[in-house]
Amino acid sequence: MLIAIISDIHDNLVNLEKCLNWCHQSKINNLICCGDITNLETVAYLANNFLGEVFIVSGNAEIYKEAELAKFKNINYCGELSINEFDGVNIGFCHEPEKIKKIQELSPLKLDFIFYGHTHKPWLEKKEATLIVNPGTLGGVFTAATFAVLDVEAKNLSLKILADL
């Protein structure tokens, strides 16, 4: 199973389209968004152009209402943070890095990965057995547009630079 991890789209539909086209060609199964999609039109674009399941947490720049997300069948809204298991790999995700500690405290599982956004800077850090990862900003705000891809079976993580695709 392949999972794309995106964050901080900030309504950049051109970059989102390019990322989703790459995801389709690469047979990405699920998508995790670590917040700051921003408006409902961008959520709709994401829901209508990604064939798999989408898991999103709220960011600090969202202007949609949580209740509006119910109309999208493949959108799984997770609130401020989420802990999920994908084929035996335990993943937590949130928007602000300050919530990482809360994920660790709430998780009944040993987490393999924690993903977050907000800073717009790709980052990878290992704390004990957990990789803590920021996929960067898909919107390309302040830094180059990037996202991450996790091969769940191999537990292999890679960073994709949108301009290189």
Short mmCIF file of all heavy atoms in Angstrom, two decimals, residues 3 14 16 31 41 47 55 66 71 77 103 105-106 122 143 146 158:
data_model
loop_
_atom_site.label_atom_id
_atom_site.label_comp_id
_atom_site.label_asym_id
_atom_site.label_seq_id
_atom_site.Cartn_x
_atom_site.Cartn_y
_atom_site.Cartn_z
N ILE A 3 0.86 5.45 0.45
CA ILE A 3 0.12 6.58 1.01
C ILE A 3 0.87 7.86 0.67
O ILE A 3 2.08 7.95 0.93
CB ILE A 3 -0.03 6.47 2.54
CG1 ILE A 3 -0.74 5.18 2.93
CG2 ILE A 3 -0.77 7.68 3.10
CD1 ILE A 3 -0.76 4.92 4.43
N VAL A 14 -3.31 24.34 -8.80
CA VAL A 14 -2.36 23.92 -9.83
C VAL A 14 -1.43 22.85 -9.25
O VAL A 14 -1.23 21.78 -9.84
CB VAL A 14 -1.56 25.12 -10.39
CG1 VAL A 14 -0.43 24.65 -11.29
CG2 VAL A 14 -2.49 26.07 -11.13
N LEU A 16 -1.97 21.09 -6.47
CA LEU A 16 -2.77 19.94 -6.05
C LEU A 16 -3.08 19.04 -7.24
O LEU A 16 -2.95 17.82 -7.15
CB LEU A 16 -4.06 20.40 -5.38
CG LEU A 16 -4.99 19.29 -4.88
CD1 LEU A 16 -4.30 18.38 -3.88
CD2 LEU A 16 -6.26 19.91 -4.27
N LEU A 31 -4.52 8.91 1.00
CA LEU A 31 -3.87 10.21 1.10
C LEU A 31 -4.15 10.77 2.48
O LEU A 31 -5.29 10.75 2.95
CB LEU A 31 -4.40 11.14 0.01
CG LEU A 31 -3.68 12.46 -0.16
CD1 LEU A 31 -3.57 12.81 -1.64
CD2 LEU A 31 -4.38 13.57 0.57
N GLU A 41 -13.86 24.60 -1.72
CA GLU A 41 -13.66 24.28 -3.13
C GLU A 41 -12.41 23.42 -3.31
O GLU A 41 -12.39 22.50 -4.14
CB GLU A 41 -13.55 25.56 -3.97
CG GLU A 41 -14.85 26.33 -4.09
CD GLU A 41 -15.21 27.15 -2.85
OE1 GLU A 41 -14.31 27.46 -2.02
OE2 GLU A 41 -16.40 27.48 -2.70
N ALA A 47 -11.43 15.72 -3.11
CA ALA A 47 -12.35 14.59 -3.01
C ALA A 47 -12.75 14.05 -4.38
O ALA A 47 -12.86 12.84 -4.57
CB ALA A 47 -13.60 14.99 -2.23
N PHE A 55 -7.70 11.19 4.34
CA PHE A 55 -7.78 11.43 5.78
C PHE A 55 -7.23 12.84 6.02
O PHE A 55 -6.09 13.12 5.66
CB PHE A 55 -6.95 10.40 6.55
CG PHE A 55 -7.43 9.00 6.33
CD1 PHE A 55 -7.03 8.27 5.21
CD2 PHE A 55 -8.29 8.40 7.23
CE1 PHE A 55 -7.47 6.97 4.99
CE2 PHE A 55 -8.75 7.11 7.02
CZ PHE A 55 -8.34 6.39 5.90
N GLU A 66 -16.69 21.98 9.43
CA GLU A 66 -16.57 20.53 9.55
C GLU A 66 -17.80 19.82 8.98
O GLU A 66 -17.67 18.82 8.26
CB GLU A 66 -16.39 20.15 11.01
CG GLU A 66 -16.31 18.67 11.27
CD GLU A 66 -16.20 18.36 12.75
OE1 GLU A 66 -15.79 19.22 13.54
OE2 GLU A 66 -16.52 17.21 13.10
N LYS A 71 -20.51 15.61 2.98
CA LYS A 71 -21.02 15.29 1.64
C LYS A 71 -19.99 14.60 0.75
O LYS A 71 -20.33 14.10 -0.32
CB LYS A 71 -21.56 16.55 0.96
CG LYS A 71 -20.54 17.61 0.66
CD LYS A 71 -21.21 18.83 0.03
CE LYS A 71 -20.29 20.01 -0.04
NZ LYS A 71 -20.99 21.19 -0.53
N TYR A 77 -12.75 13.03 7.91
CA TYR A 77 -12.31 14.16 8.72
C TYR A 77 -11.96 13.67 10.12
O TYR A 77 -12.77 13.02 10.78
CB TYR A 77 -13.39 15.23 8.77
CG TYR A 77 -13.00 16.41 9.63
CD1 TYR A 77 -11.99 17.28 9.21
CD2 TYR A 77 -13.62 16.64 10.85
CE1 TYR A 77 -11.61 18.34 10.00
CE2 TYR A 77 -13.25 17.71 11.63
CZ TYR A 77 -12.24 18.56 11.21
OH TYR A 77 -11.88 19.62 11.99
N ILE A 103 -0.49 13.49 20.55
CA ILE A 103 -0.68 12.24 19.80
C ILE A 103 0.03 11.10 20.53
O ILE A 103 -0.53 10.02 20.73
CB ILE A 103 -0.16 12.36 18.36
CG1 ILE A 103 -1.07 13.25 17.53
CG2 ILE A 103 -0.03 10.98 17.69
CD1 ILE A 103 -0.54 13.56 16.14
N GLU A 105 0.83 10.89 23.67
CA GLU A 105 0.16 10.59 24.95
C GLU A 105 -1.14 9.82 24.74
O GLU A 105 -1.47 8.95 25.54
CB GLU A 105 -0.12 11.90 25.70
CG GLU A 105 1.12 12.59 26.21
CD GLU A 105 0.86 13.99 26.71
OE1 GLU A 105 -0.29 14.50 26.61
OE2 GLU A 105 1.82 14.62 27.20
N LEU A 106 -1.89 10.14 23.69
CA LEU A 106 -3.19 9.52 23.46
C LEU A 106 -3.12 8.17 22.78
O LEU A 106 -4.06 7.38 22.85
CB LEU A 106 -4.07 10.44 22.62
CG LEU A 106 -4.54 11.74 23.27
CD1 LEU A 106 -5.28 12.60 22.26
CD2 LEU A 106 -5.42 11.44 24.47
N PRO A 122 10.06 20.71 4.90
CA PRO A 122 10.22 19.26 5.05
C PRO A 122 11.18 18.96 6.19
O PRO A 122 12.20 19.64 6.35
CB PRO A 122 10.82 18.82 3.71
CG PRO A 122 10.53 19.93 2.76
CD PRO A 122 10.48 21.19 3.58
N THR A 143 8.51 27.90 0.66
CA THR A 143 9.51 26.92 0.24
C THR A 143 8.99 26.20 -1.00
O THR A 143 7.82 26.34 -1.36
CB THR A 143 9.81 25.89 1.35
OG1 THR A 143 8.61 25.18 1.65
CG2 THR A 143 10.35 26.53 2.61
N THR A 146 6.41 20.40 -1.92
CA THR A 146 6.83 19.03 -1.67
C THR A 146 5.70 18.24 -1.03
O THR A 146 4.75 18.80 -0.50
CB THR A 146 8.05 18.97 -0.71
OG1 THR A 146 7.72 19.62 0.51
CG2 THR A 146 9.28 19.61 -1.33
N SER A 158 9.62 8.51 1.21
CA SER A 158 10.38 9.35 0.29
C SER A 158 9.73 10.72 0.18
O SER A 158 8.53 10.87 0.35
CB SER A 158 10.46 8.70 -1.10
OG SER A 158 9.18 8.51 -1.64
#
